[in-house]
């Protein structure tokens, strides 16, 4: 713990710049390629799957959900809620439906969550929005049987914050059966010293109260049993890999059921892009978890 405090500012910037660690593409091109890949796959999903797009869960411009229904939505079905990354300052639900086709074919609903990104959105508000979206979802769609969270990068952070929610404030307790957290950030304090905070403008207090590492609820206090899968890419930076390892260990120490998955041959970007592939190991893990919800 705390090694990041000994790093130079330049080293810390490097560690929290995922585009510098991929062996596939250059730093300037990989992010644009990632956005294009996700957007194209989302368009394909919208063209092939029954959807309800832009469903408002609040009054804000981005407070909307895209719902991708399984072939027979008259039956009860588990739902995967996908929370996009983009360092809380880019991407949207418009690039977040890419994983729907292989999942809906297995009888799973997929929901892509929109939320306000920086500079309009600030960290407290983003966490609140995602929590509200989950409460709205389970109230609106009574046929949902089991909620699974999946978040990538900043989205993994937001999904982890959902796990620490006190649902008494929301008048509903979602049946969150699992969470797949992919290449996430679980301690925001190191980001205060990097370019990432230029738009977010977090104080130390904001970073601490919105750090999943700082607000892990004992598993015994959680209303439902939740399986957590913490996944990280071989080509994630050492800091991203450390954060995943330490968060997984902290959850386990608090009594949560945790699996760790270290995926070889992928970087920070294609670790999530490949969820559009039926044969991809992470897709298969999700299908297994989601099918278990129906058994």
């Amino acid at each position: 713990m705390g090694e990041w405090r000994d790093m130079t500012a330049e080293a810390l910037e490097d560690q929290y710049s995922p585009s510098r660690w991929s062996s596939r593409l250059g730093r300037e091109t990989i992010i644009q390629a990632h956005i294009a890949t996700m957007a194209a796959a989302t368009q394909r999903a919208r063209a092939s799957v029954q959807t309800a797009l832009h469903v408002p869960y609040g009054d804000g411009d981005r407070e909307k959900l895209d719902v991708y229904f399984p072939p027979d939505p008259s039956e009860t079905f588990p739902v995967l809620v996908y929370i996009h990354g983009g360092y809380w300052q880019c991407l949207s639900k418009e690039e977040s439906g890419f994983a729907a086709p292989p999942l809906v074919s297995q009888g799973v609903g997929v929901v892509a969550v929109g939320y306000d990104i920086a500079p309009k959105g600030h960290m407290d508000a983003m966490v609140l929005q995602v929590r509200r979206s989950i409460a709205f979802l389970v109230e609106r769609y009574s046929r949902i049987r089991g909620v699974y969270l999946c978040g990538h990068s900043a989205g993994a952070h937001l999904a982890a914050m959902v796990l620490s929610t006190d649902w008494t404030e929301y008048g509903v307790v979602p049946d969150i059966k699992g969470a797949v957290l992919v290449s996430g950030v679980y301690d925001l304090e190191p980001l205060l010293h990097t370019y990432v905070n230029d738009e977010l403008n977090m104080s130390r207090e904001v970073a601490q109260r919105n750090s999943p590492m700082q607000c892990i609820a004992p598993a015994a206090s959680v209303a439902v049993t939740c399986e957590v899968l913490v996944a990280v890419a071989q080509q994630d930076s050492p800091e991203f890999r450390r954060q995943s390892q330490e968060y997984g260990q902290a959850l386990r120490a608090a009594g949560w059921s945790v699996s760790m998955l270290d995926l070889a041959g992928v970087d920070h970007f294609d670790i999530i892009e490949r969820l559009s592939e039926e044969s991809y190991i992470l897709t298969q893990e999700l299908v297994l978890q989601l099918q278990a919800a129906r058994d």
Side-chain angles (χ1 to χ4, degrees):
M1 297 286 281
E3 312 97 285
W4 64 267
R5 298 177 193 277
D6 302 325
M7 292 181 188
T8 65
E10 186 180 14
L12 207 54
E13 291 267 331
D14 262 2
Q15 288 290 324
Y16 286 97
S17 300
S19 59
R20 301 184 182 190
W21 297 86
S22 172
S23 63
R24 287 187 301 136
L25 293 166
R27 279 171 47 194
E28 306 304 321
T29 55
I30 193 163
I31 293 173
Q32 289 309 312
H34 176 60
I35 295 169
T37 297
M38 306 277 269
T42 298
Q43 288 304 312
R44 289 195 297 274
R46 288 178 172 183
S48 64
V49 173
Q50 181 188 344
T51 58
L53 302 178
H54 320 306
V55 178
Y57 67 85
D59 297 329
D61 291 344
R62 281 184 172 241
E63 292 185 341
K64 295 181 172 69
L65 307 173
D66 289 344
V67 185
Y68 298 78
F69 292 102
D72 186 1
S74 64
E75 297 180 355
T76 60
F77 56 92
V79 70
L80 180 83
V81 177
Y82 180 77
I83 306 166
H84 71 79
Y87 256 159
W88 307 275
Q89 51 202 287
C90 73
L91 291 174
S92 70
K93 70 178 181 59
E94 308 306 312
E95 301 86 25
S96 299
F98 60 97
L103 295 174
V104 298
S105 69
Q106 300 294 324
V108 174
V110 175
V111 174
V113 177
Y115 57 91
D116 283 327
I117 54 174
K120 181 182 178 183
H122 54 86
M123 191 57 69
D124 289 320
M126 287 184 249
V127 170
L128 180 60
Q129 283 177 320
V130 173
R131 287 170 168 165
R132 282 197 292 110
S133 77
I134 305 293
F136 167 85
L137 182 69
V138 297
E139 288 186 313
R140 171 74 178 266
Y141 296 100
S142 58
R143 293 190 302 275
I144 290 174
R145 181 178 168 189
V147 174
Y148 288 77
L149 307 171
C150 179
H152 171 242
S153 198
H157 158 268
L158 292 169
M161 289 300 292
V162 171
L163 297 181
S164 72
T165 305
D166 177 0
W167 291 107
T168 56
E169 302 170 32
Y170 296 83
V172 62
V173 180
D175 185 15
I176 298 175
K177 291 185 175 295
V180 177
L181 309 175
V182 184
S183 293
V185 180
Y186 309 105
D187 175 7
L188 300 186
E189 202 173 338
L191 298 177
L192 297 176
H193 311 282
T194 72
Y195 72 96
V196 180
N197 202 39
D198 293 349
E199 292 283 341
L200 294 171
N201 201 26
M202 290 186 292
S203 65
R204 190 160 179 263
E205 292 71 29
V206 169
Q208 287 181 333
R209 72 169 168 258
N210 289 293
S211 287
M213 278 291 287
Q214 305 295 328
C215 49
I216 294 172
S221 70
V222 178
V224 294
T225 303
C226 178
E227 303 278 336
V228 181
L229 175 63
V230 180
V232 68
Q234 181 183 18
Q235 292 174 31
D236 267 318
S237 74
E239 269 293 282
F240 269 84
R241 292 173 60 80
R242 175 191 68 80
Q243 287 231 15
S244 289
Q245 185 73 26
E246 292 186 1
Y247 182 61
Q249 289 170 343
L251 279 176
R252 201 172 274 156
W256 289 70
S257 176
V258 181
S259 305
M260 307 290 291
L261 190 58
D262 193 335
L263 283 160
V266 289
D267 58 37
H268 187 81
F269 304 97
D270 60 351
I271 188 175
I272 197 71
E273 292 168 7
R274 293 187 60 195
L275 270 185
S276 62
E277 302 170 14
E278 202 167 324
S279 60
Y280 180 46
I281 183 171
L282 209 48
T283 312
Q284 293 178 332
E285 287 280 340
L286 275 172
V287 168
L288 283 172
Q289 280 199 20
L290 287 152
Q291 284 179 335
R294 289 189 312 212
D295 296 342

